[in-house]
Amino acid sequence: MKTLYIECNMGVAGDMLMGALYELCDQKENFLSDMNQAFAPYGVTLSVEPAVKCGISGTHMRVAVHGEEEHSHDVLPEHIHEDGHMTIHAQEESPTHDHGTQCCHEHVHDEDTLMHSHEHTHDEDTLMHSHEHTHDEDSLMHVHDHIHDENEHTHTHDNNSHHEHHHTHAHTSYTQILEQIHTLPFPSSVKDSVAAVYRLIGEAESKVHHSTLDQIHFHEVGSIDALVDVTGCAYLLSLLEPETILCSPVHVGNGFVHCAHGTLPVPAPATAELLKGIPFYSRNIQGELCTPTGAAVLKHFVTSFEAMPPMNVTEIGYGMGTKDFAAANCVRVFLGESSPGSNTAPSFDDSVLSISCNLDDMTGEAVGFATELLLQAGALDVYTIPIQMKKNRPGILLTCICEPKDRERLTSLFFLHTTTRGVRYQMFDRAKLTSEIETCHSAYGDIRIKKSCGYGVEKEKAEFEDLKAISAGHNYEVSLDQIRDTIVR
């Protein structure tokens, strides 16, 4: 089985994972051309930079928006004062950009309140901001002048410095992000995955802020960075076509990180929310190693988080961050074939998701149409069961079995093509035999044989569609059993 294994011993960020996957891709020029063409209207340039960490060579994907690259800002222990005040200093080496803690924040707009936040980076001589600042050490006023599409406002803070900002902020809503995604010139499967990842990010942020998806807004620069990272990862995975994606437990780092909302603990709240159900750990490395964008990509695409299984590895990729640590700051990916298991133990076990709803007001034709669409969209199986519902109404239980990563996409189909107002989710652990297809000869032509083994058993079966086609080609004058009897094994 073609398997991709992601090693997150130093966490994961979207650009780092994209760099690692890029090293595995045999269509590098096409990938860069397609990405740059797609995001050119946003002023984005995606380029490849060689990088070395602890003697290991790898790839750093530089995502520049109008020539500038976003960065995260860790809070180092020596900058935490006894009174709790924190001074934020950028590390000497520019850190890798963070696309989760910066790009998404909530805005509350009403007649009396307009909330906004900014990110600051400090060094010894200059207080750097994404906008121009002037400083007066003796002033006690901190003034921000913002020009918005619909609102012009001023913030005054009691502080020890004087800042004047004259800049324009554009904020993108979740709905607008989805519109941007669906206009990108990529296959539908790629865009569906990107939309699902963004929904995960938006849901995590809205839960942290006790808000809703409609109230969550994304800072334009940060959101475009993140959109490039997520799209790049989804596009590369579509080109690599792994049958299964596995991942190690995730190292999240330690300490604090400075972002649009202020100084937050590591992992940042949105990251922690996204990591629910995913094994992660923290050690003595100070800094944010796992960003919300990286966590969301893993949550959507990874089938299982576990130690690396036996694999026949053919390709290895290294995606580099820009922070320097005692350990190599990289995401490493392995591509290869899973080693076949013995026939006395399960060669592969996984989990599947069941999505179901009760229906009592749809025609048989409409239910059949919904069933076909779910199967075409990648469901592993779809079935209906007759049930008796409230008010003595006969109804249908519609159930879809799918991979967990397809939850959002298939849920959307339930709501779009059935009359249900809600669906139920249930996870099932699944044991299955390892299967492969062999082509065998027969007196009537080649026939595919599915062979399966595991748990001490072996099975094989001729593909029904092949038998059916042969019978049809002989005007149905040859039975299926007659065709099976001529198969040469």
Side-chain angles (χ1 to χ4, degrees), residues 119-182:
E119 179 179 355
H120 300 261
T121 305
H122 301 260
D123 61 24
E124 294 179 356
D125 302 313
T126 307
L127 182 57
M128 301 298 295
H129 193 283
S130 55
H131 315 284
E132 184 178 354
H133 295 66
T134 61
H135 295 269
D136 181 349
E137 294 181 357
D138 299 324
S139 174
L140 297 179
M141 301 300 293
H142 180 181
V143 181
H144 301 232
D145 293 328
H146 307 259
I147 301 173
H148 283 252
D149 293 338
E150 299 177 359
N151 299 282
E152 186 172 313
H153 56 281
T154 300
H155 294 271
T156 302
H157 304 275
D158 291 331
N159 205 315
N160 294 323
S161 60
H162 179 77
H163 299 193
E164 291 182 358
H165 312 250
H166 298 282
H167 51 272
T168 300
H169 275 291
H171 300 98
T172 310
S173 69
Y174 172 70
T175 301
Q176 290 170 320
I177 288 287
L178 291 184
E179 291 173 356
Q180 290 176 346
I181 292 170
H182 289 298

Side-chain angles (χ1 to χ4, degrees), residues 295-361:
V297 171
L298 294 182
K299 194 177 188 75
H300 175 71
F301 284 105
V302 173
T303 304
S304 178
F305 292 84
E306 58 187 58
M308 186 174 178
M311 287 178 59
N312 181 12
V313 175
T314 56
E315 301 286 343
I316 303 174
Y318 293 85
M320 301 304 199
T322 53
K323 296 177 184 176
D324 281 330
F325 299 107
N329 183 23
C330 65
V331 171
R332 182 163 61 167
V333 294
F334 301 86
L335 185 65
E337 296 291 328
S338 297
S339 298
S342 69
N343 63 356
T344 60
S347 56
F348 188 77
D349 291 286
D350 61 2
S351 296
V352 291
L353 174 68
S354 170
I355 309 175
S356 63
C357 67
N358 295 357
L359 304 167
D360 65 359
D361 55 354

Side-chain angles (χ1 to χ4, degrees), residues 384-439:
T384 59
I385 299 175
I387 56 175
Q388 193 73 19
M389 296 176 61
K390 61 185 179 182
K391 298 183 180 180
N392 294 318
R393 294 176 181 173
I396 293 292
L397 171 63
L398 175 63
T399 301
C400 164
I401 304 297
C402 65
E403 295 183 11
K405 68 182 180 64
D406 294 327
R407 168 176 164 164
E408 302 299 329
R409 185 161 53 87
L410 295 181
T411 295
S412 296
L413 293 179
F414 266 83
F415 286 125
L416 181 61
H417 295 288
T418 76
T419 57
T420 190
R421 290 178 172 82
V423 298
R424 298 179 296 274
Y425 298 117
Q426 190 172 6
M427 289 293 297
F428 291 97
D429 291 333
R430 180 176 66 162
K432 65 178 184 180
L433 303 181
T434 297
S435 299
E436 59 181 14
I437 299 294
E438 289 187 3
T439 300

